[in-house]
Amino acid sequence: MIGETEAVAVKNKKREKDIVCEEFHRLCLEDLVISENDGDGIGTYSEKRFHRIFKRFVTPDADCYEVKVGNYVADVLCDGHITEIQTTAYAKLAPKIRYYLENTNHTVSVVMPLICERRIIRAERETGEIKYTRVSPQKAQLSDALDHLYYLREFLGDTRLMIHVVMVSAEEYRYSERMRYRREGKYDRDLRPVDIKEETVLRGVGDYLRFLPEVLREGEFDSAAYSKSTGMKGRKMYSALNVLTFLGILTRRQEGRKYFYTFDPDFDK
């Protein structure tokens, strides 16, 4: 009986996910029609496209969009909950999040779209002719979120703040004509979200434990061991270690110019 109940729960969860994906895909298609009448240039439009689609995805009520909250304007404010859709510039988002948490009673969500699948489409703008398509080797992973969250690390322990990491598939149209003052071979591009693949919600310190592999939870390790276990390198790796240390999941000691980390099993107590 328990097995049957679990099977039903899994089936219902899959059905709900399919409905969510279908709704997001519908909004993406509708936005293509809307964008035909948009006067903004392609160079600035991709970010606006993500904002517009995700705002409609959060709620269809336009009265909830761009609401003034004290010194700032929230992307969405609905039923006491603020949602900010952020694709870049997380350092600039930090003052807004601080203001919301310190000066209002609202709960706050930050929606972070990450592109896990990208199809490159080379096309002629005037005729719409497709020259070629290919799949980009660049694939974002959940761990990439920590690179952006480094700038919000001081707020991540507050359970009023929820980080929604949304893995998205997208099509990147590259148009052939070269623009003035751009180097040869540089093209205009238009990035279009297509589907949601997965969503992960991070709320409170405990949810960030997933970024520390089990193999590293006993004994001391260095950045090289973390890189080997996670596949993360460079700035992304150091951002992750800094976030985990700031949250108290890891303790850090320095020996010469090298840092060593240890998991603190009492971090959430």
Side-chain angles (χ1 to χ4, degrees), residues 81 101 107-108 155-162 202-206:
H81 186 81
L101 295 176
T107 51
V108 183
F155 315 116
L156 299 180
D158 193 325
T159 54
R160 288 170 57 207
L161 174 65
M162 288 159 279
L202 304 170
R203 185 176 191 175
V205 175

Side-chain angles (χ1 to χ4, degrees), residues 189-234:
R189 72 181 192 124
D190 183 13
L191 189 60
R192 305 175 181 179
V194 177
D195 289 305
I196 285 179
K197 295 301 182 181
E198 195 67 55
E199 178 183 10
T200 301
V201 180
L202 304 170
R203 185 176 191 175
V205 175
D207 283 351
Y208 292 86
L209 185 58
R210 72 182 63 206
F211 297 104
L212 182 65
E214 290 279 355
V215 70
L216 299 179
R217 296 183 189 182
E218 293 186 9
E220 197 172 56
F221 64 92
D222 60 10
S223 59
Y226 187 78
S227 177
K228 182 178 180 181
S229 298
T230 63
M232 301 174 70
K233 298 179 181 179

